[in-house]
Amino acid sequence: KAGFAIRHSPFAIALALAEDGYDIALHCNKSLKTATALADKITRTGVRCKIFTCDLSDGARLQPLMDAVFKDFPNLSVLINNASNFERVRFLEGDIALFDDHMAVNARAPIFLTQAFAKAAHSGHVINLLDADVMRNHGSHFMYLLSKKTLAAFTQMAARELSHIQV
């Protein structure tokens, strides 16, 4: 399929892909109303769209989520990891629970969703949405930024690891 430009938001990415003819498997956790509105816009482009709800902080639910997506979309060829936990907390204000929450959604989920995608997809692309601040080291959102830096490093490592296969 043709490429697309990121316009303003992850919603724009989904709509751009739909406009290019991609069926969309749309994930949400608590924002079902927003996801339903987006799904309506997507289906008006003439493609299929199905919403999958899942709490990505629960690692045991990641593989079943991907199994369900591939059951409905067996030719899935693009995975966009966009979900994010984003809390304004400096380093000395953080705790283990906050660290775990950020790492679970911002790093662990994309890592294991990518792994499941790579094992199941015939070919395709993975897009991990990061944050421009991963190149900086300011600390107003310390746990968030640390988890996004982890995702950035994973993205580079996975690209090298998966480059020899057609994913």
Side-chain angles (χ1 to χ4, degrees):
K1 298 276 183 188
F4 65 94
I6 297 175
R7 292 191 264 280
H8 297 292
S9 72
F11 302 125
I13 296 170
L15 282 171
L17 286 169
E19 290 167 358
D20 280 347
Y22 285 84
D23 291 331
I24 305 293
L26 188 62
H27 163 265
C28 74
N29 182 20
K30 297 176 185 173
S31 55
L32 186 57
K33 183 177 178 180
T34 302
T36 301
L38 178 57
D40 290 342
K41 288 181 184 179
I42 289 169
T43 56
R44 284 195 295 267
T45 69
V47 301
R48 284 182 56 227
C49 182
K50 181 173 180 182
I51 298 171
F52 295 84
T53 58
C54 180
D55 178 359
L56 297 179
S57 68
D58 182 351
R61 298 184 67 196
L62 301 176
Q63 185 63 53
L65 170 64
M66 290 304 286
D67 291 344
V69 169
F70 271 101
K71 181 179 179 193
D72 285 333
F73 296 89
N75 297 316
L76 185 71
S77 62
V78 178
L79 171 66
I80 299 174
N81 288 311
N82 172 63
S84 185
N85 188 350
F86 181 77
E87 293 185 49
R88 182 181 195 92
V89 175
R90 299 193 66 79
F91 173 63
L92 292 178
E93 300 162 349
D95 58 25
I96 291 173
L98 189 66
F99 173 86
D100 288 346
D101 289 345
H102 278 80
M103 284 297 184
V105 173
N106 301 352
R108 184 181 65 201
I111 289 168
F112 289 100
L113 291 172
T114 299
Q115 182 186 66
F117 175 80
K119 289 178 179 179
H122 303 292
S123 66
H125 305 280
V126 176
I127 300 168
N128 290 324
L129 295 181
L130 298 169
D131 188 306
D133 284 342
V134 297
M135 303 306 291
R136 299 187 183 116
N137 290 313
H138 60 78
S140 64
H141 293 78
F142 191 91
M143 299 302 176
Y144 163 79
L145 189 56
L146 182 60
S147 65
K148 287 296 187 173
K149 285 176 176 274
T150 300
L151 181 58
F154 161 74
T155 301
Q156 292 177 339
M157 293 173 69
R160 181 175 298 272
E161 181 78 15
L162 298 174
S163 66
H164 69 283
I165 61 175
Q166 281 207 314
V167 171

